[in-house]
Amino acid sequence: MNQIRWTHAVLLSLTLPLAQAALASHDIADLSLEDLAGIQVTSASRRAEPLSAAPASIYVISADAIRRSGASSLPEVLRLAPNLQVARIDATQYAISARGFNNAIGNKLLVLIDGRTVYAPFFSGVLWDQQDVMLADVARIEVISGPGATLWGANAVNGIINIITRSSADTQGLLAVVRAGNQERGAAVRYGAAWGEAGHVRLYARTNRPDNTETAVGNDVPDANERHQLGFRADWAGSADTFTLQGDTYRTRAEHRGFVGGSFELTPIETSGANLLGRWTRRLDGGSDLRVQAYLDRTERDDALLYKPRITLADLEMQHSLNIGEHKIVWGGGYRRSKDTIDPGLFFAFVPASRTLRWTNLFVQDALALSSTLELTLGLKFEHNSYTGTETLPNLRLAWQPAANQLVWGALSRAVRAPARLDRDIRLPAAGPPYAIAGGPDFVSEVANVLELGYRAQPSTEWSYSATAFLHDWRGLRSGQRPPNALVQNQIDGKTWGVEGWATWQALPAWRLSAGLSTLKKDLRLRPESTDPVGPSNMGDDPDHHWSLRSAFNPAAGQEFDVWLRRVGELPRLSVPAYTAVDARYGWRITREVELALVGQNLFGASHPEYGAAPTRSEFGRSFMAWLRVEL
């Protein structure tokens, strides 16, 4: 508690003495709070709508917030969203979730990059060390906590992260970024140019080299890594049609991890991947539009300790948005196919080693204006998967605007987390039988019935805030059995609930304060017939609260000073203690084209773990980095 009070004092001492100078400085950002509330978002309804009118718990990370955060990777940027739980595991791996069940193989959060779903289908989660983007090209990140299965399908159970990059028309010219610090180095370059009369294209390349992390006693963790990534995006815009073609390829290599038992070599974890996406949109009469999107995605991972998946995925979807009287209708469908081969590691194997999975879906959602201030949204999706057949995913939302600057909304939703190969085909140990854990042939979808109540308001030009209360009723969560040959089952039920909220105060034209809070309670229990020896304690590891406070301040023209205070509660299952971190960034635009920034993280606290079991888990201490950004 004393540490919390001390860091509060530090934050205030760094910002309040500068308030007088702020009166004469430039505005904090290009967007006012009214502009931010009016940002067009698409994740809540699959159609563009103002953030202020979206009936969902949605937080938008802006391009300006990304730049001022000093973050060098996508997972670090996601810490800006107060409705996400982000825990760093080692130099490159993270556990990220919304509303609980967080672990290294979390499987209830849907992540999209420019419409491309990036979760690994063999376990329905995201391998965060394989996902990154050119952060300078990100237009915004829309983070929804809560279900979105009616529009986005299975796995959009606890939340959606939708990363949207800028059109190539908005990224013309040359951009170069170089950064170096005591724990990481990296560089990126991007070039954009016109292509014909109606087209634009950009090319980029980036590299990143994080150093080893350390354990509590100072031993190096063998997790140093290097990543190389390059890609392109091309956009053509006509009078009624737009077309986008984009692709990325990457390769990563970690360091050698030594030997197990003196003979089994833990070779470096190596990953690689490539993707290609095309999207065509036609604007139709009456404000409607038609969109067709397709992409191919190939990923490989070589992990001698766990497993070695090679996955080829193809996805095709169509969406039609139209207005009929007071009805705003979005409907569409899609087909997805994943073919994989997963070679065994030291611990795990998949039987069979190769499998092809297919998903098809059809959805419709209607937002009906009952009056000038009341809107009812009804949605339904049918999604067919290779394991459980057709799942029904309904959604009902009611939004009321008692005033132009207020929104009250409620929602009832059903979402499922469909089985993955990890649930049906996993084997431990790889050399069995007998197996300590075996995929369950009767494993079915985990089901969440969710109630949400939310309120969003901007009572003045200086204040805006949002709050949501939620209750998730869970049926058939993943469980195990007593060994040997412990089958994966659906024997855990229960409830999770909590509140999440955030607020922004434009204290002065050059000073903005932002705060966020999230709480979580869980009441999960084994069914009486279960023989699971671990039970609900194995369902992720979550703090019962986390909160943050950010100060963004411009002391003078061309200068920026940002301070970020974060508090995360303890993780009880792994005995990870609560921690408080203070980060700061000073940015100086030397000329219109050149910007220099200095970033410090965990400035006033001792090193701390964020996830994992002692004594081998990584701890994260004080770090510094200098950034040089040149844009021509």
Side-chain angles (χ1 to χ4, degrees), residues 280-300:
W280 167 65
T281 303
R282 165 161 286 188
R283 292 184 297 275
L284 304 173
D285 294 336
S288 63
D289 64 71
L290 176 67
R291 190 187 75 183
V292 179
Q293 174 182 282
Y295 63 85
L296 296 172
D297 200 342
R298 169 74 177 181
T299 60
E300 296 188 15

Side-chain angles (χ1 to χ4, degrees), residues 144-165:
I144 293 180
S145 45
T150 298
L151 295 177
W152 300 104
N155 289 78
V157 181
N158 275 7
I160 302 159
I161 299 173
N162 192 4
I163 300 147
I164 301 167
T165 66

Side-chain angles (χ1 to χ4, degrees), residues 148-386:
T150 298
L151 295 177
W152 300 104
N155 289 78
V157 181
N158 275 7
I160 302 159
I161 299 173
N162 192 4
I163 300 147
I164 301 167
T165 66
R166 293 190 283 173
S167 166
S168 56
D170 299 327
T171 54
Q172 297 293 283
L174 177 67
L175 171 71
V177 179
V178 179
R179 63 183 188 276
N182 64 325
Q183 295 183 6
E184 183 182 342
R185 290 156 302 285
V189 62
R190 176 254 288 157
Y191 181 74
W195 190 351
E197 295 183 359
H200 298 84
V201 64
R202 69 166 176 255
L203 308 173
Y204 79 90
R206 66 190 309 268
T207 184
N208 190 41
R209 296 173 181 266
D211 294 332
N212 294 90
T213 58
E214 296 182 349
T215 66
V217 297
N219 295 329
D220 283 347
V221 177
D223 58 356
N225 189 285
E226 63 178 50
R227 178 188 182 91
H228 309 288
Q229 180 170 325
L230 56 90
F232 78 97
R233 172 167 173 163
D235 296 275
W236 292 267
S239 59
D241 298 276
T242 60
F243 182 72
T244 297
L245 182 67
Q246 63 188 97
D248 311 273
T249 183
Y250 65 88
R251 181 175 296 275
T252 76
R253 179 183 174 87
E255 67 179 305
H256 198 281
R257 295 174 290 172
F259 294 83
V260 174
S263 59
F264 186 87
E265 183 181 9
L266 291 179
T267 54
I269 297 176
E270 296 186 70
T271 75
S272 62
N275 60 79
L276 183 66
L277 178 146
R279 180 171 52 250
W280 167 65
T281 303
R282 165 161 286 188
R283 292 184 297 275
L284 304 173
D285 294 336
S288 63
D289 64 71
L290 176 67
R291 190 187 75 183
V292 179
Q293 174 182 282
Y295 63 85
L296 296 172
D297 200 342
R298 169 74 177 181
T299 60
E300 296 188 15
R301 187 179 187 90
D302 188 343
D303 186 341
L305 188 65
L306 300 180
Y307 33 64
K308 305 172 184 179
R310 300 188 302 276
I311 306 167
T312 300
L313 190 147
D315 189 283
L316 173 66
E317 71 170 30
M318 182 278 294
Q319 174 184 309
H320 183 205
S321 303
L322 68 158
N323 299 328
I324 303 176
E326 300 299 326
H327 298 265
K328 290 181 286 189
I329 300 172
V330 178
W331 72 277
Y335 173 78
R336 182 179 176 89
R337 179 181 182 270
S338 171
K339 183 177 182 179
D340 66 40
T341 298
I342 307 178
D343 295 329
L346 176 62
F347 288 158
F348 295 102
F350 286 75
V351 179
S354 298
R355 189 182 286 276
T356 298
L357 301 174
R358 296 175 177 85
W359 301 263
T360 56
N361 72 83
L362 180 67
F363 70 89
V364 61
Q365 181 161 287
D366 180 12
L368 171 62
L370 300 177
S371 71
S372 60
T373 61
L374 192 63
E375 183 176 81
L376 173 67
T377 300
L378 296 171
L380 182 62
K381 184 167 197 164
F382 298 105
E383 183 169 271
H384 186 277
N385 67 77
S386 299

Side-chain angles (χ1 to χ4, degrees), residues 49 158 180 304 355 389 461 469 519 552 598:
E49 61 184 336
N158 275 7
R355 189 182 286 276
T461 57
T519 70
L598 302 176

